[in-house]
Amino acid sequence: SLLAGGLAGTSVDLALFPIDTLKTRLQSPHGFVAAGGFTGVYRGVWAAAAGSAPGAALFFGTYEKMKPIISKLQYDTLGETSSPALTHMISASLGEAAACLVRVPTEVVKSKMQTNASGTSTLLSTIKLVLAEKDGRAFASSIFGGLYRGYGITLMREIPFAFIQFPLYERLKVEWSVLQGRETSPIQAAACGSFSGGVAAALTTPLDVVKTRLMLGADKAGVAYLGAGDVVSRVMKEEGSAVLLSGIQPRVMWISIGGFVFFGAYESYRSLLMSSGFAS
């Protein structure tokens, strides 16, 4: 699961990076054009590449490891009334918490570069810039600077996303398997992942907008955001509630296509690795 998740995550992040850039620029407080428009859509790709494999590996390693543990705990406590959906929700949430240890620093650096923030001409200069940003609201900012700015809101985005996507994904695979009388193929699993990801992406877009704003650190006038509540309040007051759906089209497109590639690649890599003797 670690290897398959890492390989699948890297495949998706590199293939669909331009769509992610456009989504981030649409969510920028400076506006799409000022953040870079359609130019330089691969800015920050090396930050994404560095974090995608370990982040995806941590998620799937934790998710697959926790599923039988949570299922057993449920059965021991609730007996026949235990819920497979709840097992998937809890396991996915724990997977997201682990993955965010890598994903959040990657997202902070990547978002800065994608929106052409001052001092982000190279990956190294961007990392130095973020490390120098002492933010008391960020985890261990005296050590990591602003690298973990937005960790809380990222979890607030990822956990609802996982609560929607993974039970839906697992259920769709079960129903499809029953319908055809055999296990779903990697392509069929990919289709299930694409649909479930698109639904989850649309419903969690407002949280993604808040996450992007917090990671960028300040509004277009340079006034720092004080937290998720402050972002929502100022966006509603100064820009209108519709801004909380900024980037919904590229986000749904990116995650739907990404879900197809990711889950298809994950199932394929996992089957290949298992048949090659990496797992039994």
Side-chain angles (χ1 to χ4, degrees), residues 2-280:
L2 284 166
L3 288 170
L7 290 167
T10 303
S11 301
V12 172
D13 285 350
L14 295 182
L16 302 179
F17 188 81
I19 302 175
D20 179 50
T21 298
L22 297 179
K23 183 270 298 182
T24 302
R25 290 175 178 176
L26 283 167
Q27 294 176 348
S28 169
H30 300 282
F32 179 71
V33 175
F38 290 100
T39 63
V41 292
Y42 278 97
R43 276 181 60 87
V45 69
W46 294 116
S52 61
L58 272 173
F59 173 81
F60 270 102
T62 305
Y63 177 65
E64 297 290 354
K65 181 69 175 178
M66 294 307 299
K67 277 198 298 185
I69 295 173
I70 300 299
S71 180
K72 184 178 185 305
L73 284 173
Q74 270 207 86
Y75 187 81
D76 290 345
T77 306
L78 303 174
E80 297 296 334
T81 62
S82 59
S83 167
L86 185 59
T87 294
H88 298 141
M89 288 178 181
I90 295 172
S91 301
S93 298
L94 293 171
E96 293 293 357
C100 281
L101 294 173
V102 172
R103 187 179 297 154
V104 170
T106 300
E107 288 272 334
V108 170
V109 173
K110 176 173 67 73
S111 297
K112 291 274 191 183
M113 296 188 75
Q114 286 175 321
T115 55
N116 292 292
S118 177
T120 62
S121 57
T122 67
L123 177 59
L124 184 59
S125 67
T126 307
I127 293 172
K128 287 180 178 178
L129 175 71
V130 175
L131 285 171
E133 294 175 347
K134 303 306 179 186
D135 185 343
R137 293 175 301 278
F139 171 72
S141 68
S142 60
I143 301 171
F144 299 114
L147 278 178
Y148 280 94
R149 183 191 297 118
Y151 183 85
I153 189 61
T154 303
L155 278 181
M156 286 174 62
R157 179 197 68 175
E158 296 295 353
I159 289 176
F161 185 96
F163 267 42
I164 298 165
Q165 183 186 33
F166 279 88
L168 183 56
Y169 167 67
E170 299 280 9
R171 187 64 189 176
L172 287 172
K173 285 204 303 178
V174 168
E175 293 295 334
W176 204 332
S177 297
V178 170
L179 188 63
Q180 65 186 6
R182 56 182 171 81
E183 289 293 314
T184 52
S185 68
I187 292 295
Q188 291 169 334
C192 296
S194 176
F195 179 79
S196 59
V199 171
L203 294 175
T204 57
T205 294
L207 294 171
D208 188 57
V209 173
V210 176
K211 184 271 304 178
T212 298
R213 293 293 183 95
L214 278 177
M215 286 184 169
L216 292 175
D219 63 17
K220 61 183 177 182
V223 179
Y225 291 118
L226 303 178
D230 184 47
V231 173
V232 174
S233 175
R234 282 159 61 179
V235 165
M236 297 280 284
K237 186 182 300 182
E238 300 167 10
E239 303 174 64
S241 58
V243 172
L244 291 173
L245 292 176
S246 297
I248 188 171
Q249 296 93 340
R251 176 169 163 78
V252 171
M253 180 189 302
W254 166 48
I255 293 180
S256 294
I257 298 172
F260 188 89
V261 177
F262 186 91
F263 283 102
Y266 174 71
E267 297 285 356
S268 298
Y269 286 135
R270 192 164 183 264
S271 297
L272 179 64
L273 291 168
M274 289 181 74
S275 65
S276 300
F278 278 91
S280 57

